[in-house]
């Protein structure tokens, strides 16, 4: 199986029909259909189930696509580097962040950075934790910004912010009258939980377990920003990182006990030195983070 065949397989899995895959790849539909049949004949097992003109990938096809992700991530990083060299972008920095940082500290740091270096080009994306780590590791981004970092082999991490999780709700919610919210206070109200297995979700569950309160929720979401939006809409109460509520206009933010610390970190590759532009941007992030800590205090 060559790279072109893998690319074609990934396109059909993603698009679910040969027509859409053909359009994406700039090929004809018969060419894509014949290529898939030839590939299945070549490897000796089916890659798709064909139902009502749609293609449903087999478990084997999904496994092949998953294993090919690093290859195409490296290829994307290589193409980006070639393009930078072609356009002589010596001042180009690629950054990626999880939502709490991507919607709070990073935009302010980016504004300050570009005010001093207007000719620098920035590529910025907001993704989930795992995607940030993977993008930095594969060279798609120079700097990644995350909450709740553990030790990741191959990546260098630096904590630049540490605060406690907070409880958020509408100002007219009965719990808004309290200065401190505990898991016991959340027994009898609609609780918006963070998804099990996520960094922030694990921190909240550990706080409930620490005081022996059963963990129950009305709604479960992946991101703290989503939890804040729901809390602001009156869906319930949530325990989130201290950064996510900063952009909300109608949220009461209260201390949460037991204290549940969370730190923000920047990750970079140990295999590649940072560009001067990335170093300069990181300095701006440290400054804004310090100002944010003072604001939260």
């Amino acid at each position: 199986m060559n790279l072109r065949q893998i690319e074609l397989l990934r396109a059909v899995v993603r698009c679910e029909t040969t027509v859409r895959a053909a359009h994406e790849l700039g090929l004809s539909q018969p060419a894509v259909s014949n290529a898939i049949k030839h590939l299945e004949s070549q490897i000796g097992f089916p890659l798709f189930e064909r139902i009502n003109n749609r293609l449903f990938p087999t478990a084997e096809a999904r496994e092949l696509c998953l294993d090919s992700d690093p290859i195409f991530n490296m290829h994307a990083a290589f193409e980006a580097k070639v393009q930078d060299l072609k356009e002589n972008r010596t001042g180009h920095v690629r950054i990626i962040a999880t939502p709490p940082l991507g919607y709070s500290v990073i935009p302010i740091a980016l504004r300050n950075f570009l005010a001093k270096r207007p000719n620098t080009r920035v590529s910025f994306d907001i993704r989930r934790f795992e995607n940030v780590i993977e993008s930095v590791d594969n060279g798609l981004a120079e700097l990644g910004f995350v909450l709740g970092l553990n030790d990741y082999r191959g990546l260098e991490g630096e904590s630049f912010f540490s605060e406690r999780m907070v409880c958020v709700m509408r100002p007219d919610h009965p719990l808004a009258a309290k200065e401190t919210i505990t898991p016991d206070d959340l027994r009898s109200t609609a609780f918006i939980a963070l998804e099990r297995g996520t960094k922030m979700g694990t921190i909240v569950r550990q706080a409930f377990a620490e005081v022996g309160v059963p963990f129950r929720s009305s709604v479960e979401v992946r991101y703290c920003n989503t939890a804040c939006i729901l809390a602001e809409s009156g869906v319930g109460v949530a325990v989130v990182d201290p950064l996510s509520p900063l952009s909300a206009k109608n949220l009461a933010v209260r201390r949460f006990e037991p204290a549940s610390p969370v730190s923000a970190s920047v990750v970079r590759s140990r295999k590649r030195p940072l560009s001067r532009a990335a170093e300069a941007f990181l300095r701006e992030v440290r400054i804004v983070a310090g100002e944010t800590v003072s604001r939260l205090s």
Side-chain angles (χ1 to χ4, degrees):
M1 184 182 292
N2 57 43
L3 285 176
R4 181 58 174 169
Q5 289 174 314
I6 300 174
E7 181 183 28
L8 189 144
L9 169 63
R10 289 165 61 90
V12 177
V13 169
R14 186 168 54 250
C15 297
E16 296 185 343
T17 68
T18 54
V19 173
R20 286 191 292 184
H23 183 265
E24 181 177 299
L25 295 171
L27 300 172
S28 67
Q29 186 277 332
V32 172
S33 182
N34 290 334
I36 288 295
K37 291 177 182 178
H38 175 73
L39 179 56
E40 289 177 322
S41 174
Q42 178 182 329
I43 62 179
F45 55 85
L47 294 169
F48 297 92
E49 295 180 13
R50 294 157 175 83
I51 302 174
N52 296 329
N53 294 323
R54 293 185 65 184
L55 298 179
F56 294 87
T58 62
E60 291 82 2
R62 292 191 181 278
E63 187 173 348
L64 288 173
C65 285
L66 184 62
D67 287 347
S68 69
D69 281 346
I71 299 173
F72 284 84
N73 286 336
M74 290 178 65
H75 181 255
F78 183 79
E79 283 193 324
K81 182 65 176 179
V82 170
Q83 194 65 24
D84 288 347
L85 292 172
K86 177 182 177 181
E87 299 180 13
N88 195 27
R89 296 182 192 152
T90 55
H92 184 199
V93 58
R94 299 176 183 275
I95 57 179
I96 187 169
T98 53
L101 289 158
Y103 294 129
S104 59
V105 172
I106 302 303
I108 300 172
L110 188 55
R111 179 197 65 198
N112 298 343
F113 173 76
L114 291 175
K116 299 173 183 177
R117 299 166 181 82
N119 295 325
T120 302
R121 184 172 179 268
V122 177
S123 297
F124 174 42
D125 196 8
I126 296 177
R127 303 292 294 274
R128 58 192 291 181
F129 182 94
E130 297 83 359
N131 297 135
V132 172
I133 298 299
E134 182 181 16
S135 294
V136 175
D137 192 36
N138 290 332
L140 288 174
E142 277 194 89
L143 296 172
F145 298 89
V146 298
L147 292 180
L149 178 72
N150 294 321
D151 183 34
Y152 279 84
R153 186 173 58 185
L155 295 182
E156 180 180 342
E158 172 197 331
S159 176
F160 60 86
F161 173 98
S162 185
E163 271 293 332
R164 297 160 37 141
M165 300 286 278
V166 297
C167 191
V168 296
M169 68 221 66
R170 285 178 59 90
D172 57 0
H173 193 282
L175 287 180
K178 297 174 64 71
E179 291 185 2
T180 301
I181 308 298
T182 68
D184 197 53
D185 295 322
L186 301 174
R187 285 176 181 264
S188 56
T189 191
F191 181 55
I192 304 164
L194 301 175
E195 189 175 292
R196 181 185 300 276
T198 61
K199 296 289 181 180
M200 302 297 101
T202 299
I203 290 174
V204 177
R205 283 168 173 78
Q206 288 173 343
F208 275 71
E210 183 178 332
V211 294
V213 174
F215 189 89
R216 299 188 182 94
S217 64
S218 303
V219 182
E220 186 172 281
V221 299
R222 168 168 284 272
Y223 297 117
C224 290
N225 298 76
T226 308
C228 287
I229 291 171
L230 295 184
E232 195 171 15
S233 299
V235 173
V237 178
V239 177
V240 299
D241 70 87
L243 296 174
S244 293
L246 291 178
S247 58
K249 297 180 180 178
N250 193 34
L251 269 185
V253 182
R254 299 292 180 263
R255 180 185 296 270
F256 178 69
E257 294 284 356
S260 303
V262 60
S263 62
S265 301
V266 56
V267 291
R268 66 184 85 174
S269 173
R270 291 194 178 105
K271 298 175 286 187
R272 294 175 290 272
L274 286 183
S275 65
R276 287 189 296 175
E279 289 279 11
F281 178 74
L282 184 52
R283 287 195 293 272
E284 296 294 342
V285 172
R286 294 189 187 107
I287 293 171
V288 173
E291 295 170 348
T292 304
V293 170
S294 299
R295 176 181 170 188
L296 292 173
S297 301

